Amino acid sequence: MIDIFTTGGTIDKVYFDALSEFQIGPAAIPDMLRENNVHVPHRVTQLMRKDSLELDDADREAIRVAVAASDAARILVTHGTDTMVLTGRVLAGIPGKTIVMTGAMQPASVRASDAEFNVGFALAAVQTLPPGVYIAMNGMIFDPATTVKDRAGQRFVQQ
C-alpha cells in the first residue's frame, strides 16, 4: 500500500475563466491515477489545499505527523515546488519509510503539464528506492538536503 498525501501546489491549480487567476482546486491525483489505469494499491489523503509559498512551520509539522503516523512504509507527497525542498528536510529522519515528494511546474489541468509524468515517475520511485526522503521531478531523483529549485530554469538542481 502506498499512502499518497496531497498538500496543494501547482499540480492542483485550476483556472476557472479568462478573468481569474489559478486557484488550488481538489486534489488532481485520484482522477490522474484512474485515467492512467494505475492499479498499484494506494490511498489518497488530502492534507491541505495550499500554494507551497503559503505553507508555514505548523503545516510542515502536520505533514510530518501524517507521514510518521501512516501504517504504510511507502509514502508519496504531492507538494508545491517552491518550498518542496524545505518540507523534504522536515520529513528527514522518519525511520523505516520511503518518502517521495513530487509536484509540477504546470497545473495538471493544463495540456502541457509535467504533472502526469512526475506522478508516474514518483510512483515508480517510491516502490523502488530504499527508506529515506527524496524529490522526484522531471525524470530525476534528488536529495532535499542538497537540492534547490532553479526558478529561472524551471527545474531542481543539486547544490
Side-chain angles (χ1 to χ4, degrees):
M1 171 69 66
I2 298 171
D3 249 346
I4 301 172
F5 294 108
T6 68
T7 64
T10 298
I11 199 168
D12 290 333
K13 286 185 178 178
V14 292
Y15 195 69
F16 293 100
D17 61 48
L19 298 176
S20 51
E21 295 181 19
F22 282 106
Q23 297 177 17
I24 306 292
I29 202 162
D31 290 340
M32 189 184 307
L33 296 178
R34 188 185 71 256
E35 290 166 5
N36 284 284
N37 205 25
V38 173
H39 294 288
V40 63
H42 66 277
R43 63 185 163 217
V44 178
T45 303
Q46 186 173 46
L47 296 179
M48 54 202 67
R49 288 169 67 167
K50 291 187 171 184
D51 186 285
S52 71
L53 292 172
E54 297 173 356
L55 294 178
D56 58 23
D57 291 343
D59 294 321
R60 285 185 180 77
E61 184 57 26
I63 296 167
R64 183 180 172 83
V65 166
V67 168
S70 171
D71 61 354
R74 303 197 178 276
I75 310 286
L76 175 62
V77 178
T78 64
H79 194 287
T81 59
D82 285 316
T83 64
M84 184 184 293
V85 168
L86 182 58
T87 301
R89 292 174 184 165
V90 169
L91 295 174
I94 298 176
K97 294 186 186 289
T98 301
I99 304 161
V100 176
M101 303 183 70
T102 197
M105 299 294 180
Q106 295 293 322
S109 61
V110 173
R111 187 188 178 300
S113 177
D114 56 339
E116 286 187 13
F117 178 85
N118 288 342
V119 167
F121 181 66
L123 275 173
V126 78
Q127 293 177 75
T128 57
L129 290 169
V133 181
Y134 307 90
I135 292 174
M137 288 290 296
N138 306 111
M140 298 180 71
I141 302 292
F142 298 95
D143 177 349
T146 58
T147 301
V148 295
K149 181 180 176 184
D150 173 3
R151 291 180 130 248
Q154 295 263 314
R155 56 186 246 148
F156 286 86
V157 294
Q158 293 291 143
Q159 290 187 17

